């Protein structure tokens, strides 16, 4: 089973991805982790990515898709994978579809965790209030959350119509309890 998890920062994608990994024996593929691993490995794609990043540029869609292509060829992805953080644009979604089709694969489900933004801000305020200052993450603040939400709305949210038009997009209530969200996702995965 090959999945894409969509949703703004704080929607619970990481929590659900970990659970799905354990339940279905599929692998979560984080593009950030893959980039770091490719660079550390010294592979051809890693060297390309390193030179671009070192010069202050953004890694191209071609390189990202090549990196994902190589990663899903690894044995631990034989049961499937979860993409989190990719695709972020319609161009990336289209390139991903072409690459997967070349391998005889497809995305089985695109699952969007819908959330109420005001609740995300409540969550961050609660986390800040309950976490000692020395233990807080550097991005645990309202300003960072607002920026990340703006980027999500501008860059990533536009891919939902792309997947909806293909009949692949399913939406779950990300405001429900973790257990309820899990049950909604499991029902989609079982369909």
């Amino acid at each position: 089973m090959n999945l894409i998890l969509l949703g703004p920062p704080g929607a619970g994608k990481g929590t659900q991805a970990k659970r799905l990994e354990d339940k279905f024996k599929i692998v979560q593929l984080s593009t950030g982790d893959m980039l770091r691993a490719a660079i550390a490995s010294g592979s051809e794609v890693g060297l390309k990515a390193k030179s671009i990043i070192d010069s202050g540029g953004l890694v191209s869609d071609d390189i990202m898709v090549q990196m994902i292509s190589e990663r899903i060829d690894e044995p631990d992805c034989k049961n499937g994978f979860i993409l989190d953080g990719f695709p972020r644009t319609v161009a990336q979604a289209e390139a991903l579809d072409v690459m997967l089709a070349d391998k005889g694969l497809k995305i089985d489900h695109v699952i969007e965790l819908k959330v109420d933004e005001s609740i995300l801000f409540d969550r961050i305020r609660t986390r800040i209030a309950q976490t000692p200052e020395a233990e807080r993450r550097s991005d645990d603040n309202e300003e960072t959350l607002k920026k990340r939400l703006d980027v999500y709305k501008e860059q990533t949210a536009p891919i939902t119509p792309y997947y909806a038009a293909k009949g692949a997009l399913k939406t779950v209530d990300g405001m429900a309890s973790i257990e309820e969200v899990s049950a909604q996702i499991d029902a989609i995965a079982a369909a």
Side-chain angles (χ1 to χ4, degrees):
M1 175 175 15
N2 303 322
L3 304 171
I4 295 174
L5 289 181
L6 295 175
K13 297 181 303 293
T15 298
Q16 292 301 323
K18 179 64 182 143
R19 191 190 61 76
L20 288 164
E21 275 187 305
D22 295 340
K23 180 171 181 134
F24 295 104
K25 305 299 180 229
I26 57 180
V27 180
Q28 178 185 9
L29 303 180
S30 158
T31 51
D33 291 347
M34 285 191 293
L35 264 174
R36 286 183 285 280
I39 291 168
S41 77
S43 69
E44 182 181 337
V45 72
L47 293 173
K48 285 182 194 173
K50 181 175 179 4
S51 90
I52 293 165
I53 291 169
D54 287 350
S55 68
L58 294 174
V59 177
S60 70
D61 291 352
D62 290 346
I63 291 174
M64 292 301 295
V65 171
Q66 180 184 354
M67 194 173 52
I68 291 167
S69 175
E70 291 174 7
R71 179 64 182 90
I72 64 175
D73 286 342
E74 293 181 23
D76 64 340
C77 289
K78 73 178 181 347
N79 292 332
F81 55 85
I82 306 161
L83 286 173
D84 174 12
F86 190 90
R88 291 187 185 267
T89 65
V90 172
Q92 289 178 351
E94 292 168 343
L96 177 66
D97 285 346
V98 168
M99 179 271 291
L100 290 173
D102 287 347
K103 293 178 180 291
L105 299 172
K106 66 180 178 60
I107 295 297
D108 297 300
H109 304 287
V110 178
I111 302 171
E112 179 185 25
L113 281 73
K114 280 278 206 192
V115 295
D116 179 330
E117 281 187 24
S118 66
I119 301 297
L120 293 179
F121 283 100
D122 289 346
R123 286 181 183 172
I124 199 85
R125 286 183 207 108
T126 300
R127 188 184 310 159
I128 290 167
Q130 293 176 348
T131 307
E133 191 169 342
E135 296 175 26
R136 285 186 206 146
R137 295 180 350 198
S138 62
D139 61 348
D140 274 352
N141 62 70
E142 291 183 55
E143 183 180 324
T144 299
L145 178 59
K146 181 181 181 336
K147 286 178 187 172
R148 291 176 69 201
L149 287 170
D150 289 346
V151 168
Y152 177 80
K153 286 187 275 192
E154 181 181 310
Q155 294 180 4
T156 307
I159 69 172
T160 57
Y162 172 80
Y163 285 116
K166 296 170 74 77
L169 182 69
K170 305 291 186 261
T171 302
V172 300
D173 178 7
M175 302 312 302
S177 70
I178 291 173
E179 295 76 20
E180 291 172 292
V181 172
S182 296
Q184 292 175 60
I185 290 174
D186 289 351
I188 292 167

